Amino acid sequence: GSRVDYVDLTYHGHEFIPSPESTFESGMVIEEGYYGDNDFVDVEKARVIVEIVGGLCDKRLGRSTVHMKIVGCDWNKVTKPQLVDLETFTQSGPRQIYNSVPAHLLDIQVREIRDRDNGNIEHISNFFQGTQPIVRTIDLRDTNAADVAIEKAEGSENPTNTSKGITEEEELKGDTRNSLETTKKDEEEGMELVRFQYDGKLMLEFETT
């Protein structure tokens, strides 16, 4: 029979390992028979930034419960009634970075907003959930795309004119650092950010004299 030393799986540059139930071992010999218990799992992780804010001024709304699931996957799926407990994240501030989330297409939603006394702020929670919950979908499959963009920026902006004086070199380095900071911000805003914004309702009060 044939000998299999490794399995080369290609999907957006992700890392795969044999699943806990897999019987695959390096050097296994393929002979006549059934080989259906050799599953591999995608263990690639990504980073996502979630903003939950009030208005364009990014005001804090309260303590948020954030839910994430892989698109098209039953893992952590919202159902009615909810038969299985959901895995959620608690977000205290208006902006939070989540590391080590699955590097896939993710559906993200805000399940509820609570005040400092742990009471549900119903009118805001209902805005995000209501009869048709607000769901943001983000593609995190290409996890290194943003980092590659920064590396290219670093490579293209290195000083190459050695005839400049020290002061000019320092100014150039400062401009380079500022440009890279802008690139990093654009990386977050464009590739890794989902935003939930509640604008509320304008209430006007009039007093006659």
Side-chain angles (χ1 to χ4, degrees):
S2 301
R3 170 173 166 161
V4 179
D5 291 317
Y6 68 94
V7 177
D8 186 12
L9 299 174
T10 302
Y11 182 77
H12 294 270
H14 289 193
E15 177 186 359
F16 289 83
I17 64 172
S19 69
E21 299 81 15
S22 175
T23 58
F24 175 80
E25 292 182 357
S26 178
M28 67 184 299
V29 178
I30 302 298
E31 297 177 337
E32 184 178 356
Y34 174 71
Y35 293 91
D37 298 322
N38 296 283
D39 295 330
F40 288 75
V41 293
D42 186 346
V43 295
E44 195 72 22
K45 298 298 182 183
R47 176 180 62 218
V48 66
I49 301 153
V50 179
E51 288 184 347
I52 306 170
V53 299
L56 295 175
C57 296
D58 296 348
K59 295 295 185 181
R60 180 180 182 273
L61 295 174
R63 191 174 71 255
S64 310
T65 299
V66 179
H67 172 264
M68 304 183 191
K69 72 171 293 291
I70 299 174
V71 175
C73 180
D74 288 337
W75 166 79
N76 217 24
K77 184 177 181 179
V78 176
T79 60
K80 292 183 179 180
Q82 191 65 48
L83 303 177
V84 180
D85 291 339
L86 295 174
E87 294 182 25
T88 58
F89 301 90
T90 299
Q91 180 166 324
S92 298
R95 180 184 177 96
Q96 188 162 319
I97 299 175
Y98 296 89
N99 295 299
S100 298
V101 300
H104 286 274
L105 282 164
L106 291 187
D107 279 342
I108 302 175
Q109 59 180 292
V110 179
R111 295 288 292 170
E112 63 179 8
I113 306 285
R114 293 189 171 272
D115 58 25
R116 64 183 61 188
D117 297 322
N118 201 36
N120 184 27
I121 307 177
E122 291 188 6
H123 66 286
I124 301 181
S125 295
N126 290 339
F127 172 80
F128 290 121
Q129 283 296 306
T131 56
Q132 191 170 13
I134 297 174
V135 179
R136 306 289 189 223
T137 302
I138 185 169
D139 189 351
L140 299 173
R141 290 174 295 182
D142 293 313
T143 58
N144 63 343
D147 294 331
V148 169
I150 289 181
E151 290 175 1
K152 287 183 178 178
E154 289 175 338
S156 64
E157 296 186 14
N158 283 336
T160 57
N161 190 339
T162 57
S163 64
K164 291 184 179 292
I166 295 177
T167 302
E168 291 174 326
E169 287 289 346
E170 289 302 316
E171 291 176 352
L172 182 56
K173 290 178 181 178
D175 292 342
T176 299
R177 283 192 295 268
N178 292 336
S179 180
L180 290 176
E181 286 300 320
T182 301
T183 301
K184 291 177 181 178
K185 183 178 180 180
D186 291 343
E187 162 203 354
E188 294 180 347
E189 298 295 331
M191 298 182 182
E192 301 174 335
L193 174 69
V194 293
R195 180 181 175 91
F196 297 86
Q197 180 174 317
Y198 173 74
D199 293 322
K201 295 182 180 179
L202 181 63
M203 304 294 292
L204 298 178
E205 292 185 3
F206 296 92
E207 181 178 344
T208 58
T209 57

